Amino acid sequence: MQIWIAAAVMVASFAAGAGAPPQRAPIVAAAADLNPALAEIAAAFLRDERQRVELVFGSSGLLTRQLHDGAPFELFLSADESFVEQLADAGLTRDSGALYGIGRIVLFAPHGSPLKPEDGFDGLARLLDTGRMTRFAIANPEHAPYGRAAEAALRARGLWDRLQPRFVLGENAAQAAQFATTGNAVGGIIAYSLALSPALKPRGTYWLVPDTEHPPLGQRMVLLRRAGPVAERFYHYLQEPAARAILKQYGFTIPK
Amino acid sequence: MDWRALGVSLWLGFGTVLVLVPFGLWLGHTLASRQFRGKGLLEALVAVPLVLPPTVLGFYLLVAFGARSPLGEAFEAIAGQALAFSFPGLLLASAVASLPFAVQPIQRGFEAIPVEVREAAACCGMPPWRRFARIEVPLAWPGILTAVVLTFAHTLGEFGVILMVGGNIPGETRTLSIAIYDRMQAFDDRGAGLMAAVLLAVALLALTLTTVLGRRVGPRRG
């Protein structure tokens, strides 16, 4: 019997010990389009302020859902404004947050694709006419803001219904970019920030969709109620020139 | 290579074995040696994680863990943190997901013991507890060993449930299988490939171990 009690005690202490490590770096949850950009900013933050933050990426919708379910994030960087409003209404945030950038979308095609992005949406329409359209990647509009922007732009051009049977839906902006760039689809509409990332840029060509073609992708961030001083500092750091320069380099329009 | 993710995976594997194997010994023994009403249903319940999509398990667990559920509230009151998206929550989830891998081999191990052996031990006046520890466990040894290895390997290979209830938090709930998915989405194919190779090697090693040991050890003489 003693063995069983000893095992139970071991399990309990192990679970408790693993659950509460002392003084860990705050967790920052961010929309997937920020993947390379925010990692660079976090590295600069570590260099300038000697403070670490942990980064978790996902679709804004998924991260919002996880916050509702009690996820231990201290700062949330959404790829739009509605999810932040939703969290603020639920009383989970400190305030209504701050706008850190405006996102853009691009039409991307990998090298060797029959789709030529430089022709814009006309090229997309022509490809549909020729019947050489295989698969076209966008992020899932249900919970990924970049998917919503893609949907709005395609609807405005009357291409949405024609493309419907051709879509592959990425779970978030990064997965959509992965689908669009690896040659398994003719291309897709992906985040400008990802098209500019060192990993994707060499994979193909893109055309920047004019920002008049879709509602603006206002990127809002917000501190959660449990946020500590390091998360707070990072929140302010993101609005300072060093971080803004990196965001700009990844194609975000910086709000005034 | 994400070493922290490997660490989380290994801890989760050991933890799940530590939680499940004692429980499996009890439940497997009960199922193998007793007849009672509802036994069929209980056996089906044990096996159901094998056939359920991980999203079904993940959905129910997330609801059960949620900050507004009784279990989630009780845990938060005791530990001061939410059960969802935490290591203890992950441990509980993976214990549920790996339940059949622990219980079924152990149950088969006990079932393989001839009734006469048990009766002979009882006849000699051996109390049930000693009979269990001295006769039955040694005879069921190959089944128990298989349960340990399979539980560990299956926990390392678990993905869907962990993705849903874990939340991909580095050093806490980002296991190696999640880290591969994460690296893929970060376009780091090299990192993903390396970690995939590690998991493949661990899985092959574990399965080879069960086959070889199962054959060589055989039922131990108690």
Side-chain angles (χ1 to χ4, degrees):
Chain A
M1 205 59 183
Q2 286 93 326
I3 307 167
W4 295 80
I5 295 169
V9 169
M10 263 174 80
V11 169
S13 58
F14 162 79
Q23 278 298 310
R24 54 183 304 160
I27 302 165
V28 175
D33 65 304
L34 284 166
N35 203 337
L38 198 62
E40 265 184 46
I41 296 174
F45 184 62
L46 179 63
R47 196 182 55 230
D48 295 347
E49 313 256 331
R50 311 216 160 278
Q51 300 274 20
R52 283 177 54 85
V53 289
E54 294 283 7
L55 305 177
V56 172
F57 295 100
S59 76
S60 302
L62 175 75
L63 296 169
T64 301
R65 166 76 216 236
Q66 292 183 336
L67 277 163
H68 277 293
D69 285 333
F73 310 143
E74 296 189 25
L75 173 63
F76 171 45
L77 285 85
S78 174
D80 81 345
E81 309 208 57
S82 70
F83 289 114
V84 169
E85 278 163 27
Q86 190 188 325
L87 288 167
D89 289 344
L92 292 168
T93 65
R94 253 191 216 182
D95 50 26
S96 58
L99 206 62
Y100 63 89
I102 315 274
R104 298 286 300 272
I105 51 175
V106 300
L107 181 63
F108 191 102
H111 294 302
S113 163
L115 177 65
K116 300 290 169 241
E118 53 276 17
D119 301 338
F121 286 130
D122 294 337
L124 199 58
R126 273 204 299 279
L127 192 63
L128 276 165
D129 293 336
T130 62
R132 290 177 69 202
M133 169 66 73
T134 52
R135 290 279 163 205
F136 190 79
I138 60 170
N140 190 339
E142 289 274 350
H143 52 88
Y146 280 92
R148 284 182 194 168
E151 178 179 349
L154 290 171
R155 275 191 194 282
R157 285 303 183 104
L159 290 167
W160 177 258
D161 291 327
R162 294 183 66 196
L163 272 170
Q164 194 79 307
R166 302 292 178 192
F167 284 135
V168 273
L169 297 181
E171 198 257 322
N172 57 55
Q175 197 179 47
Q178 194 193 31
F179 290 163
T181 59
T182 45
N184 297 310
V186 297
I189 295 182
I190 68 171
Y192 190 26
S193 57
L194 295 174
L196 287 174
S197 70
L200 290 198
K201 217 173 171 182
R203 290 194 187 173
T205 52
Y206 61 82
W207 171 70
L208 186 61
V209 177
D211 58 5
T212 47
E213 305 262 340
H214 59 87
L217 278 158
Q219 317 265 305
R220 189 167 279 275
M221 62 178 168
V222 70
L223 285 163
L224 283 305
R225 284 210 174 278
R226 64 166 68 79
V230 178
E232 214 169 278
R233 183 66 205 103
F234 190 61
Y235 174 80
H236 291 295
Y237 187 81
L238 278 161
Q239 300 172 64
E240 288 167 13
R244 289 193 152 185
I246 297 173
L247 286 171
K248 208 168 162 184
Q249 186 196 319
Y250 278 95
F252 291 100
T253 310
I254 304 304
K256 306 277 169 327
Chain B
M1 182 70 198
D2 190 339
W3 293 107
R4 279 201 297 174
L6 180 63
V8 172
S9 272
L10 292 176
W11 274 117
L12 192 66
F14 291 132
T16 307
V17 167
L18 227 53
V19 172
L20 266 190
V21 170
F23 179 73
L25 276 175
W26 170 74
L27 189 62
H29 185 256
T30 308
L31 287 172
S33 55
R34 292 207 193 137
Q35 296 300 328
F36 49 87
R37 260 168 47 149
K39 184 174 160 182
L41 181 66
L42 186 60
E43 283 180 307
L45 268 176
V46 167
V48 89
L50 283 176
V51 294
L52 274 185
T55 41
V56 174
L57 272 187
F59 171 74
Y60 282 128
L61 283 166
L62 209 54
V63 172
F65 287 180
R68 285 150 295 188
S69 78
L71 179 67
E73 255 176 36
F75 185 83
E76 192 147 12
I78 298 164
Q81 61 163 344
L83 191 52
F85 316 115
S86 73
F87 187 82
L90 207 59
L91 188 61
L92 196 57
S94 93
V96 173
S98 292
L99 189 66
F101 296 90
V103 176
Q104 287 185 343
I106 293 176
Q107 184 184 345
R108 301 292 165 260
F110 284 125
E111 278 170 355
I113 302 171
V115 188
E116 307 87 72
V117 174
R118 239 178 277 166
E119 279 170 355
C123 240
C124 298
M126 242 187 171
W129 170 250
R130 283 196 57 200
R131 203 162 77 216
F132 178 73
R134 291 287 178 80
I135 309 277
E136 294 178 278
V137 168
L139 284 173
W141 190 245
I144 297 168
L145 200 67
T146 306
V148 169
V149 180
L150 282 186
T151 301
F152 183 78
H154 180 253
T155 304
L156 250 61
E158 184 57 62
F159 175 73
V161 175
I162 292 178
L163 184 71
M164 282 183 78
V165 305
N168 193 9
I169 295 165
E172 175 133 8
T173 62
R174 181 182 294 164
T175 61
L176 211 51
S177 60
I178 300 286
I180 292 170
Y181 186 65
D182 201 68
R183 286 294 88 204
M184 278 278 290
Q185 297 210 349
F187 311 103
D188 176 8
D189 288 3
R190 218 183 132 263
L194 197 63
M195 289 188 276
V198 167
L199 273 188
L200 178 64
V202 170
L204 272 178
L205 190 73
L207 290 179
T208 312
L209 214 65
T210 31
T211 330
V212 172
L213 279 183
R215 210 177 294 142
R216 191 174 300 166
V217 175
R220 228 171 51 179
R221 287 186 197 99

